[in-house]
Amino acid sequence: PGASPPFSALLIIVMLSRSRVLPALRGFATRAKHTLPDLPYEVNALEPAISAEIMQIHHSKHHNTYVTNLNAALEKYADAEAKGDMAAMIALQGAIKFNGGGHVNHSIFWSNLAPKTCDGGDVTKAPGIKAAIEAQWGSVDTFQSTFSATTAAVQGSGWGWLGYDKASGSLKIATCANQDPLSTTGLVPLLGVDVWEHAYYLQYKNVRPDYLKAIWGVINWRNVEERFVAAK
């Protein structure tokens, strides 16, 4: 969404050979600056599942910081490249991965959510992904409980994902640490849930499972379905 780059561009951070990393970073670093996308709903629209206070801080502070730091890292990379400073170029790859991943992950996250007044939580509005989930897990309830248990078990900070595996044509539940993007695992992201504490602590304290139970009521299944169709 918005100014987010195709995620293939961000894979540069895990390619360490000169022949693959440097040409990829060259094009990525010279693009227009990334910007914070607007939320597609009001900050209080997801209550009571997610409070307005959390949404405001999460979006305007945390996500905005990833965007700011990503732009700064890319500017430094471009400067290092112009100077032929290979050591600096390599050193910046971690910052690009972390902040670029944070930007991409959150841009997906906001679009994966919707108020109940806009059918948030209603999987019947997405018959394609509903059928695929039922075919693989037996029921949507079983999928949700499996996803929640897997995601609740993330150690420290990270994300829970429903991804599409193009190679097998199947859906997969996966987790990623910190801001590592799901695309780095070879899966196409369909649905992501942020389990960094800043996503829930002000409301749910340290009870991550309660947050994961509540968030199903505001999932934008139409958006998940659009991503599923595009991935196929």
Side-chain angles (χ1 to χ4, degrees), residues 18-65:
R18 177 185 175 90
S19 61
R20 297 178 70 187
V21 172
L22 300 187
L25 278 172
R26 182 178 296 111
F28 189 44
T30 55
R31 293 185 179 194
K33 285 190 175 183
H34 299 274
T35 58
L36 180 69
D38 293 333
L39 289 174
Y41 34 73
E42 297 299 321
V43 293
N44 64 348
L46 303 181
E47 292 185 331
I50 305 177
S51 71
E53 182 182 19
I54 287 177
M55 288 298 298
Q56 193 277 327
I57 295 172
H58 197 173
H59 176 256
S60 67
K61 302 297 183 184
H62 291 282
H63 188 176
N64 192 51
T65 297

Side-chain angles (χ1 to χ4, degrees), residues 86-151:
M86 181 71 67
M89 293 162 71
I90 293 171
L92 285 162
Q93 291 177 22
I96 294 172
K97 178 180 182 179
F98 181 76
N99 293 292
H103 178 35
V104 170
N105 291 344
H106 284 87
S107 295
I108 294 171
F109 184 53
W110 309 134
S111 67
N112 275 168
L113 303 175
K116 285 188 174 295
T117 55
C118 297
D119 298 319
D122 189 353
V123 72
T124 65
K125 302 300 182 181
I129 192 69
K130 179 176 183 289
I133 287 172
E134 289 172 340
Q136 196 156 331
W137 282 280
S139 70
V140 173
D141 285 344
T142 299
F143 159 73
Q144 290 180 348
S145 62
T146 303
F147 183 103
S148 294
T150 302
T151 304

Side-chain angles (χ1 to χ4, degrees), residues 162-177:
L162 172 65
Y164 180 70
D165 183 354
K166 289 189 175 185
S168 64
S170 63
L171 300 173
K172 291 188 176 180
I173 294 171
T175 61
C176 292

Side-chain angles (χ1 to χ4, degrees), residues 155-190:
Q155 295 184 348
S157 301
W159 291 73
W161 291 98
L162 172 65
Y164 180 70
D165 183 354
K166 289 189 175 185
S168 64
S170 63
L171 300 173
K172 291 188 176 180
I173 294 171
T175 61
C176 292
N178 301 314
Q179 293 298 348
D180 291 358
L182 184 67
S183 297
T184 59
T185 70
L187 300 177
V188 179
L190 306 180

